[in-house]
Amino acid sequence: MRVIIFLSLFLALTAGCSEAPQEESVLQQDYASLENLARGSEVRWHMWGGSAQINQWVDTYVAAEMKRLYDISVVRVPMDAPVFVNKLLTEKAANKDTGTMDLLWINGENFKNAMQAGVLFGPFTDRLPNFAAWYDTQKSAHDFGYPVDGFEAPYGRAQFVFEYDTDRTPSPPATLAELADWIKAHPGRFTYPQPPDFTGSAFLRQIFYATTGGHEQYLSGFNPELYAKNAPQTFSWLIDLKPYLWQEGRTYPKDAAALDTLFARGEIDMGMSYHPAHAQMKILEKTYPETVRTFVLAEGAIFNTHFTAIPFNAPNKAGAMVLANFLMSPEAQLSKFKPENWGDMPALEVAKLDEAQRQTFDAVDLGAATLGADELSAAAVPEITSEYLELLERDWDKIILGH
Amino acid sequence: MRHAPTIIVLALMFLLPIVVLVLQAGAPGWRFPELWPELSLDGLHFLAARPRPFLTALANSLGYSLATVALTLAMTILPAKTLAFTSFRGKNLLEGLLLLPALVPAMTFSMGLHFIFIKIGLADTTPGVILVLAMISYPYMLRALTTGYTLMGREYAVCARNLGASKRRVFLEVELPQLLPAMAAGASVVFLVAFSEYFLVFLIGGGSVASFTGYLFPLITSSNRGLGALITLVFLAVPIVLFIALELGLYRYHRKRWMR
Amino acid sequence: MKRGIIHGLLPLLLPYCALFCAGLALTLAQSLGLFLPLGSGEITLEHYQPLIQDQGIRQSLGLSLFVAFFSAAGSVLGGTILALALWRMPPPLRRVGVVSKVGLILPHVAVAFLVLLMLSRTGLVSSVLFQTGIISSPEEFPNILHTGSGLGMILAFLLKGVPFALLLIGTVLFGFDIRLVQTAHMLGAGPLRTFWSVTLPRLLPAMHSAFIILFLYAFGSFDIPFVLGESHPGMLSIRVFDIFFQRDLSQRPEAMAILTLMFVFAALFAMLYNRFAAYLDGWRRKL
């Protein structure tokens, strides 16, 4: 008897798994009917949840506006990008045609892995009106050197900066050589998050550019011989400085949040972030002292664009597309740009806006701790193809940690 | 006073943490080397402004933890009686095997189970989470109930049957009341295990099942320690409130039935 | 009769087999190369080979065993001492012991958080020492959380383990017949001898239970090592998490292989420990 009950329970559960995806029909429709289709539905947006500020912006502004404009409820789900890409890979392998994630915040090697495994839905950005209106298709055509092909929609821009406290460090280093000298002069006061953490990995790439003569040589696709020739210089720089790092370089903070905590509590004297307004955000949150400022090295500061994408098995593709479109709108980009909300640089072309709108963007005060747009763009250097990234991370594990 | 060292140790190990948590919750910017931090209610304001995610996570955790208690009870009550009152060859081995899920690292079977769950559609669902939580916590309920039955003995049930009571009545009116302390003990442990679990809910729930531990986890390693401390205090308060309620409930129940 | 027994055990045996055994079986199968999304479908032992050769895995195993042993042993020791101390108190005063339940109720992540708050270089204890002039800068505070030996994790496990051991051992101790101790005194035994020959044997089963449970828990735990663990070597459970969630899908069988070995170790340990404990008891009696 019990066996029968159990079996029927199992059958009932499996019966719900055979909804056919509506892929083709969603891509065929024009945007206005997508908005109608998605009215009253729920969109589950999976994104990195390590910043309370960003979480709050999504939960308040984005959710409220989406409800008001389109009657769509946005549910934010905290989940790291490698984790949800992994989840999609597993779901694809298990033939799960209806998943639970609608929109993803993604870029870089996670995007590449997802594309290569075929777990993303698209191309869809050409169907979104805001993309054609405000964005430069050329600039958003590549993500870490990998072609986007309309499978992800631009969301924001970020640039790598170092953070320091003017109280403790009156004049920060300006070049790589000065940084090395500073580290040696202040043993135990510098560290970086352990790759493959996003920020730690970015720091690794910064050093890679700076120690091997710049980024231009890497722009034409992955070249294994070039890597093999140049990487040793990077690692010998890192090994040279290893004993002067925090904890003598034996152990590294697990992620960017752990690094922030060390810096905030004064255990180290420098922080770093792939988000120029991060320091200002932390000052507003009262986690950093007000004397914190940011700087970039003369050798350049990496910048990238980050995106949103839709999984192949998203249950609500129409809703996800409406959300992606909204995030690209000038209103959302402006709100995101304000440091009390997030301070993330807009991905749209400010030049395409009309005069009044452009002025509202110019008027945003990023705070004393954030470098000005001119200084940032002067130092900006692009990301390179992610094969370099993966090799750097793997070799870092081997050479620095000895795994 | 010769008991002073013990009291001091107890206070340092268990009361001091609470004090520290309260202070940190009220002072997010607490930095070395301040001993007395400047107070700010930012954390509380943050929660009061947007209570929805916090409350959803809390309600969800409470829900699936209580459901786990109910499920483990249903799973183990009959087996506990069988184990207490019968003996057969290999019983010790079986009891040992049945206790294994609480001993071996949960990762060892949950990673494999996750794949199965995806195939049958239980992944990313609350029933799936409840099932897996029941798997790691049922041994505690089993042990508690087995002990309860053993202490109770068979005489009462036999007596009542002899007097003509049906099996159902025997269970509800003779065995159940005597089992209540054991059930309460088992339920307390199962609830705590389910409520505090992070990894399994994260693995099987896949982000779709909101959990209070999932809400707390990112805050712990972040630099926003004030909020982390505040949520931890809630984490402490909820089971305490429930346990007090349980104790009061049991007390009232026993008073009503005139049991010593 | 036999049918009755099976019938009685069915509500448990069914989920046990369908969930626990099935989950284990799949972990084992995937480690052997079966049921893999990217596998060839043939049984192979190739995923076990890198484990044996990889020095990093051996170091992680060593760390997991070290942390598990010392946290379990420390908890049992601490719990026993506290239980004995509480036992000697008059019953009304004994109620203060209920404070230890805080350690039981707090989830593991919260306990790790507390260790961070109190014992990091810029934490509370450091601040106290600074204010009293014992140290003059954070660097002078001992490097508790990053020694590479998992000390931070052990302390966090102790905070959870001592109340647990206290609960198990205290239950036995407080139900102890005081007349046995009094008889021993009357017959001329000193307090140490009484403890060793009369009290301890009755506590040992609870102590052994606590040790096994705490040891195996710390060995496979995820929450505390995730917060307090260090880069190198990492705990075994974190290694598995890393391979499972952060790396290529093709490396998953390796994670499953590690898990299978962990299971075998845990099961063997649980079974053999009782024999070992009985052996120790016989040795103790001879003294």
Side-chain angles (χ1 to χ4, degrees):
Chain A
M1 184 57 207
R2 273 174 238 242
V3 184
I4 301 182
I5 297 181
F6 253 103
L7 277 178
S8 37
L9 266 176
F10 269 42
L11 284 173
L13 286 164
T14 47
C17 299
S18 45
E19 276 179 46
Q22 325 148 289
E23 260 187 53
E24 287 87 44
S25 61
V26 165
L27 281 179
Q28 244 87 10
Q29 296 176 28
D30 65 43
Y31 182 72
S33 44
L34 282 181
E35 278 187 16
N36 277 332
L37 191 62
R39 200 160 283 275
S41 67
E42 179 187 272
V43 171
R44 299 186 71 87
W45 185 10
H46 285 234
M47 48 183 276
W48 175 64
S51 162
Q53 213 86 339
I54 301 179
N55 295 350
Q56 176 151 12
W57 179 73
V58 172
D59 290 337
T60 47
Y61 175 81
V62 175
E65 287 296 285
M66 286 293 288
K67 192 80 186 158
R68 182 178 71 86
L69 293 169
Y70 308 106
D71 193 26
I72 292 181
S73 9
V74 175
V75 175
R76 176 185 59 85
V77 180
M79 188 177 276
D80 288 353
V83 176
F84 63 60
V85 170
N86 214 299
K87 187 170 144 81
L88 284 174
L89 293 176
T90 311
E91 287 178 357
K92 182 149 180 134
N95 292 321
K96 187 171 179 184
D97 290 325
T98 311
T100 52
M101 310 188 278
D102 291 310
L103 193 68
L104 310 169
W105 179 21
I106 194 173
N107 76 347
E109 80 274 24
N110 297 310
F111 174 69
K112 189 187 86 164
N113 287 339
M115 283 294 278
Q116 287 180 331
V119 296
L120 290 180
F121 163 77
F124 69 93
T125 44
D126 49 337
R127 315 216 52 91
L128 304 179
N130 281 337
F131 184 65
W134 314 113
Y135 289 79
D136 181 337
T137 44
Q138 274 295 61
K139 282 208 182 141
S140 342
H142 285 84
D143 183 0
F144 279 50
Y146 191 85
V148 168
D149 282 342
F151 276 78
E152 39 176 22
Y155 180 24
R157 288 225 182 96
Q159 193 157 356
F160 188 86
V161 296
F162 290 92
E163 301 167 344
Y164 69 106
D165 188 351
T166 46
D167 252 0
R168 293 175 256 155
T169 316
S171 64
T175 67
L176 188 74
E178 283 181 30
L179 179 64
D181 289 337
W182 184 92
I183 295 177
K184 286 194 171 148
H186 299 85
R189 310 296 300 179
F190 182 89
T191 188
Y192 49 97
Q194 180 172 345
D197 169 75
F198 194 64
T199 312
S201 193
F203 173 75
L204 203 51
R205 289 195 292 287
Q206 282 277 177
I207 304 299
F208 183 57
Y209 286 8
T211 50
T212 59
H215 67 279
E216 287 96 2
Q217 53 189 314
Y218 306 113
L219 283 180
S220 43
F222 178 59
N223 185 341
E225 287 101 35
L226 188 59
Y227 176 81
K229 188 171 70 112
N230 287 349
Q233 293 157 38
T234 310
F235 287 107
S236 63
W237 189 90
L238 287 169
I239 297 226
D240 196 38
L241 286 172
K242 186 174 161 184
Y244 300 92
L245 295 178
W246 179 73
Q247 304 296 339
E248 286 111 37
R250 275 178 301 113
T251 184
Y252 297 83
K254 194 162 44 58
D255 52 24
L259 184 78
D260 287 349
T261 308
L262 286 178
F263 177 64
R265 302 190 63 79
E267 284 190 46
I268 55 176
D269 287 333
M270 274 196 204
M272 56 187 81
S273 171
Y274 211 139
H275 171 201
H278 170 257
Q280 184 65 25
M281 224 167 73
K282 287 283 177 195
I283 293 178
L284 288 173
E285 207 188 66
K286 302 220 184 69
T287 317
Y288 278 4
E290 301 207 335
T291 43
V292 169
R293 297 287 179 271
T294 55
F295 71 94
V296 293
L297 293 181
E299 282 87 355
I302 309 188
F303 77 90
N304 75 9
T305 313
H306 52 88
F307 301 80
T308 56
I310 304 180
F312 75 103
N313 59 5
N316 185 0
K317 296 188 174 76
M321 286 171 72
V322 174
L323 179 56
N325 187 57
F326 168 72
L327 291 172
M328 292 196 288
S329 68
E331 293 77 25
Q333 293 278 317
L334 180 65
S335 167
K336 183 166 67 70
F337 191 29
K338 299 189 176 150
E340 61 269 21
N341 292 334
W342 180 352
D344 188 48
M345 301 195 289
L348 51 65
E349 291 303 305
V350 184
K352 277 188 167 185
L353 296 169
D354 66 41
E355 189 59 41
Q357 280 181 316
R358 207 177 319 155
Q359 284 188 348
T360 55
F361 273 85
D362 288 336
V364 170
D365 176 16
L366 288 175
T370 315
L371 293 172
D374 301 325
E375 207 176 331
L376 283 174
S377 44
V381 290
E383 288 277 10
I384 51 177
T385 175
S386 54
E387 272 96 347
Y388 287 109
L389 188 170
E390 283 163 2
L391 275 182
L392 280 171
E393 287 176 3
R394 195 201 62 192
D395 287 341
W396 188 89
D397 250 3
K398 255 198 320 213
I399 300 177
I400 305 284
L401 278 192
H403 284 169
Chain B
M1 192 174 46
R2 62 187 196 129
H3 298 298
T6 316
I7 299 189
I8 293 180
V9 166
L10 280 173
L12 278 181
M13 263 185 101
F14 305 114
L15 283 183
L16 183 61
I18 303 187
V19 171
V20 168
L21 283 175
V22 171
L23 284 180
Q24 177 76 75
W30 193 9
R31 211 166 284 120
F32 179 93
E34 300 157 358
L35 263 193
W36 218 244
E38 62 173 81
L39 295 173
S40 113
L41 289 175
D42 277 352
L44 277 174
H45 286 160
F46 184 84
L47 277 186
R50 308 166 32 241
R52 184 94 72 77
F54 164 75
L55 288 175
T56 314
L58 184 55
N60 230 37
S61 273
L62 276 175
Y64 67 63
S65 303
L66 290 173
T68 307
V69 171
L71 183 58
T72 50
L73 198 56
M75 272 165 66
T76 56
I77 193 149
L78 196 52
K81 186 171 180 178
T82 314
L83 286 175
F85 294 149
T86 64
S87 63
F88 48 89
R89 232 170 42 154
K91 181 169 143 183
N92 275 344
L93 181 63
L94 185 66
E95 274 187 307
L97 284 177
L98 285 177
L99 291 178
L100 267 186
L103 284 180
V104 300
M107 267 195 193
T108 52
F109 73 91
S110 57
M111 302 285 217
L113 192 58
H114 178 53
F115 193 73
I116 299 180
F117 271 14
I118 293 183
K119 286 266 186 197
I120 62 176
L122 273 178
D124 303 324
T125 64
T126 311
V129 168
I130 297 175
L131 278 175
V132 87
L133 287 177
M135 277 322 284
I136 57 160
S137 56
Y138 82 76
Y140 301 105
M141 184 66 95
L142 181 67
R143 267 308 204 96
L145 290 179
T146 315
T147 312
Y149 266 116
T150 313
L151 283 177
M152 185 172 81
R154 313 180 76 154
E155 295 80 29
Y156 292 99
V158 169
C159 219
R161 290 282 284 157
N162 278 346
L163 291 172
S166 69
K167 269 197 180 167
R168 203 167 145 264
R169 238 184 130 192
V170 167
F171 178 71
L172 282 177
E173 297 186 23
V174 176
E175 298 188 336
L176 199 58
Q178 292 190 305
L179 272 183
L180 275 180
M183 276 169 67
S188 307
V189 178
V190 170
F191 179 82
L192 268 181
V193 168
F195 194 65
S196 328
E197 179 62 38
Y198 168 75
F199 180 71
L200 286 178
V201 180
F202 163 75
L203 176 70
I204 306 285
S208 302
V209 177
S211 77
F212 204 49
T213 37
Y215 187 79
L216 174 65
F217 216 87
L219 293 173
I220 297 283
T221 44
S222 79
S223 36
N224 190 352
R225 287 198 171 164
L227 199 54
L230 196 59
I231 307 294
T232 307
L233 284 172
V234 177
F235 236 116
L236 195 55
V238 168
I240 292 182
V241 165
L242 283 179
F243 290 156
I244 295 180
L246 184 65
E247 286 291 312
L248 281 177
L250 277 182
Y251 181 67
R252 285 257 201 82
Y253 177 78
H254 279 163
R255 281 273 301 270
K256 260 173 59 177
R257 294 188 135 250
W258 298 327
M259 296 197 76
R260 279 176 274 121
Chain C
M1 190 56 196
K2 205 131 179 249
R3 173 117 51 94
I5 296 181
I6 297 193
H7 190 252
L9 293 173
L10 210 58
L12 192 52
L13 286 181
L14 219 58
Y16 185 84
C17 294
L19 298 176
F20 181 63
C21 299
L24 279 176
L26 198 72
T27 306
L28 176 65
Q30 286 199 331
S31 73
L32 292 175
L34 303 165
F35 296 115
L36 281 177
L38 305 176
S40 58
E42 302 160 353
I43 296 191
T44 164
L45 284 177
E46 65 177 0
H47 302 293
Y48 284 88
Q49 279 169 354
L51 298 185
I52 306 177
Q53 293 159 349
D54 191 337
Q55 198 201 18
I57 300 275
R58 269 183 280 144
Q59 284 173 331
S60 288
L61 176 65
L63 181 70
S64 289
L65 288 173
F66 178 85
V67 168
F69 178 79
F70 279 99
S71 60
S75 297
V76 170
L77 204 62
T80 311
I81 295 179
L82 262 184
L84 287 170
L86 282 174
W87 190 42
R88 286 169 30 161
M89 286 183 174
L93 199 54
R94 213 182 273 168
R95 296 252 179 78
V96 299
V98 82
V99 157
S100 72
K101 298 260 167 84
V102 166
L104 282 177
I105 297 179
L106 280 175
H108 296 268
V109 292
V111 169
F113 182 52
L114 274 168
V115 170
L116 267 184
L117 280 182
M118 305 226 280
L119 295 176
S120 61
R121 271 222 161 117
T122 51
L124 181 63
V125 177
S126 179
S127 296
V128 168
L129 292 182
F130 181 82
Q131 295 285 354
T132 56
I134 300 181
I135 63 173
S136 53
S137 85
E139 272 87 28
E140 291 182 27
F141 187 73
N143 198 5
I144 299 183
L145 296 182
H146 300 281
T147 55
S149 60
L151 186 56
M153 291 188 276
I154 294 180
L155 289 172
F157 282 124
L158 279 179
L159 204 59
K160 289 280 304 175
V162 164
F164 179 76
L166 177 61
L167 187 65
L168 284 188
I169 296 170
T171 314
V172 175
L173 198 56
F174 300 153
F176 198 56
D177 194 346
I178 194 78
R179 292 175 295 179
L180 288 166
V181 175
Q182 289 166 340
T183 314
H185 280 317
M186 282 197 312
L187 292 174
L192 212 58
R193 187 81 207 280
T194 318
F195 175 71
W196 187 253
S197 308
V198 177
T199 323
L200 190 61
R202 288 183 175 69
L203 293 182
L204 275 179
M207 286 169 75
H208 287 313
S209 289
F211 183 79
I212 298 185
I213 295 178
L214 290 172
F215 179 87
L216 286 178
Y217 183 80
F219 180 70
S221 160
F222 172 81
D223 301 4
I224 289 184
F226 192 74
V227 178
L228 291 174
E230 303 161 47
S231 316
H232 182 71
M235 295 275 278
L236 215 51
S237 47
I238 302 295
R239 274 305 188 92
V240 172
F241 174 82
D242 207 36
I243 301 179
F244 200 80
F245 283 106
Q246 317 255 39
R247 313 265 166 176
D248 231 326
L249 209 60
S250 61
Q251 287 191 291
R252 205 167 272 190
E254 214 183 291
M256 296 312 206
I258 301 180
L259 285 176
T260 311
L261 291 179
M262 281 171 80
F263 170 75
V264 168
F265 170 76
L268 280 179
F269 182 83
M271 290 202 297
L272 294 177
Y273 184 81
N274 281 324
R275 301 253 183 103
F276 180 65
Y279 169 76
L280 273 185
D281 200 45
W283 177 79
R284 186 193 57 86
R285 277 183 216 274
K286 291 204 190 97
L287 292 177

